[in-house]
Amino acid sequence: MAEKQYDWKAIAKNPKFVELHHKKTAFLFGWWIFSCVYYFLLPIGAAYTPGLFKVKIIGVVNFGYIFALSQFFVSWGIALYYSHVANKDFDRLTRELIDELHL
């Protein structure tokens, strides 16, 4: 059976594809910037404000430990938010594009 050939240049110029690509790029770039800043706050904060990171919160658990642990929860939160946006917006736009192009 012959494999179906697609006109990728035409697909790339389609307004729905352009909208999908723009929305996805803006979303991912924005959250990538936030993630990088949040990640590097730990080593930079620990280096330049060690007193803050030594503040005891609960017993021997200090702010540095809490901040480091929070990075796991923030990354999980971002992943959950991405899946929500992907299901709501990106998948809808992809379905519309596929329907329009009769793929």
Side-chain angles (χ1 to χ4, degrees):
M1 182 186 281
E3 191 172 313
K4 195 171 186 179
Q5 297 296 317
Y6 299 105
D7 185 1
W8 293 109
K9 289 181 183 181
I11 292 171
K13 292 178 184 177
N14 186 290
K16 288 213 185 302
F17 179 80
V18 172
E19 178 187 4
L20 171 65
H21 183 45
H22 173 72
K23 283 187 173 190
K24 202 168 185 183
T25 302
F27 180 89
L28 293 173
F29 186 74
W31 282 106
W32 174 73
I33 293 293
F34 171 80
S35 297
C36 285
V37 168
Y38 195 75
Y39 173 79
F40 284 110
L41 278 177
L42 179 62
I44 292 170
Y48 291 104
T49 60
L52 173 64
F53 278 71
K54 291 179 184 175
V55 172
K56 303 283 186 205
I57 305 291
I58 302 169
V60 297
V61 179
N62 61 27
F63 178 75
Y65 289 133
I66 299 292
F67 190 81
L69 185 62
S70 77
Q71 292 192 343
F72 289 102
F73 295 107
V74 168
S75 64
W76 293 336
I78 291 171
L80 287 171
Y81 183 60
Y82 173 80
S83 67
H84 168 74
V85 171
N87 288 330
K88 187 180 73 139
D89 292 334
F90 304 152
D91 290 352
R92 176 186 52 82
L93 288 169
T94 302
R95 275 191 300 279
E96 289 174 7
L97 176 64
I98 288 171
D99 290 345
E100 182 178 309
L101 296 173
H102 309 293
L103 299 177

